[in-house]
Amino acid sequence: MTQTTDAAAAAEFRTDKKPPRIHRAWFVAAVTFVTIIGAAAFRSLPGLLIDPLHQEFGWSRGTIGAAVSINLALYGLTAPFAAALMDRFGIRRIVAVALTVIALGSGLTVWMDSAWQLLLCWGLLVGLGTGSMALAFAATVTNRWFTERRGLVTGILTAASASGQLIFLPVLSWIVETHDWRPAAVTVSLAALAVVPFVWLLLRDHPADVGLKPYGAMEFVPKPEPARGAARRAVTVLSSAARTGTFWLLAGSFAICGASTNGLIQTHFVPAAHDHGMPVTAAASLLAVIGVFDVVGTIASGWFTDRFEARRLLAVYYALRGVSLLFLPMLLAPSVHPPMLFFILFYGLDWVATVPPTVALCRAQYGDDSAIVFGWVLASHQVGAALVAFLGGVARDAFGSYDVVWYASGALCAAAALMVLVIRRRPAVTSAVVPA
């Protein structure tokens, strides 16, 4: 008996029973949220370790930035293949393996004494692991388990990364300040391992596995057969999507999004504030506060995406972000003052608010392949982040400050606002991508 027949039988069995009061999709979303939080622990660490690694090993900020750059690039480039692998082997297996790889890469850094080991552990291993836990994971869960509230759920799951930052940044900064950077790396490793049992026991790949319809669906959706040739499918989807101008506009604007968030603020804000005399713990706490408002902003963005045109939302988000970055060099000081708090609030609300409307545009334009297309768009996000993580360190070594990086990123955000407005409303029809 095939999987489809089994799923249909399970659905028929369900029709005679009273529907559950709380749909199983919300429990799956909750497990996904916790999982992304566990993986987000590592995303909180790079900015805290630039100065300690520089002081202990004498590595330049450019060298350390190169490791962060590899990590961010792999985080993005792995995502589309991870989405295809989830279709082939199931979400649960891929996520459990990814968390284990993150724990291994972070734990091994404790024994490193050469720069190549930093590039291997921090760059390669953790980059591959976090890439498999990227936002394509959230998009896959949302697409499979929900037909209603997709924008809201996307916003909530996207906010999980910010929630992880909120939880781990103050803790990790305190550990680095009082106990050195190695215990912080071990903490990240243990956090990733702690989530694995929850994933294996509670996460399910598809509503049909438990005989349910997706949340909000009118009809039962059979579980599709495992998609073979995951790598080939990811490349084929890219080849088809790349023939449309919409893809390049989405990829280019999202690359700027990554450059101005993960690559710039998350990696370089703490050392930049420390350059102006601010204690590391105070700067890390400000970054954690960004995470507080990030949660609010991302969930609100998901709510807005269900109600307003995604292109216009993105244009507003990028324009406001660019303006805030242009003012940042004037706000950095030895102590925290009200204008800086306003920047933190404002930037936090805008941090990943771009994700729900970007996912919505991918879904509207590319239909069933939207999770893989978004994986490639996310890859561009991380390539942009990787470039700025590296170039920001090089600029700091060359000019003695980050000012030129803030101004350049602000100008790029203005360009991103214009790019998303050019995206056409009708779906981009290609030979291999199914339009919505």
Side-chain angles (χ1 to χ4, degrees), residues 57 59 63 111-120:
F57 298 107
W59 300 334
T63 298
W111 291 285
M112 69 181 179
D113 55 15
S114 299
W116 70 266
Q117 295 168 336
L118 176 69
L119 299 176
L120 174 65

Side-chain angles (χ1 to χ4, degrees), residues 5-187:
T5 306
D6 289 338
E12 184 178 353
F13 177 76
R14 273 283 187 188
T15 57
D16 296 330
K17 293 192 172 186
K18 185 178 180 180
R21 182 171 297 179
I22 301 177
H23 196 284
R24 180 67 176 268
W26 294 109
F27 292 103
V28 172
V31 174
T32 304
F33 186 89
V34 173
T35 303
I36 295 174
I37 286 178
F42 186 85
R43 309 239 62 82
S44 305
L45 200 56
L48 301 177
L49 298 191
I50 289 178
D51 285 337
L53 293 177
H54 175 69
Q55 293 168 7
E56 178 172 340
F57 298 107
W59 300 334
S60 70
R61 290 176 176 82
T63 298
I64 301 169
V68 180
S69 179
I70 293 172
N71 174 277
L72 292 172
L74 286 175
Y75 177 89
L77 294 172
T78 304
F81 295 97
L85 286 171
M86 287 177 189
D87 287 342
R88 173 67 179 90
F89 298 105
I91 299 173
R92 183 168 58 168
R93 291 179 183 176
I94 299 303
V95 172
V97 170
L99 287 167
T100 304
V101 172
I102 292 172
L104 179 65
S106 182
L108 288 176
T109 59
V110 173
W111 291 285
M112 69 181 179
D113 55 15
S114 299
W116 70 266
Q117 295 168 336
L118 176 69
L119 299 176
L120 174 65
C121 297
W122 197 353
L124 180 63
L125 290 179
V126 179
L128 290 173
T130 53
S132 300
M133 291 288 305
L135 292 174
F137 168 42
T140 301
V141 169
T142 304
N143 288 349
R144 290 186 182 185
W145 281 88
F146 294 85
T147 57
E148 292 183 357
R149 311 289 186 186
R150 279 178 167 176
L152 177 62
V153 174
T154 301
I156 292 173
L157 295 182
T158 304
S161 182
S163 299
Q165 177 177 289
L166 168 64
I167 294 169
F168 287 105
L169 254 177
V171 175
L172 294 176
S173 64
W174 177 81
I175 292 174
V176 170
E177 285 282 288
T178 53
H179 300 290
D180 195 25
W181 62 269
R182 288 178 176 83
V186 172
T187 300

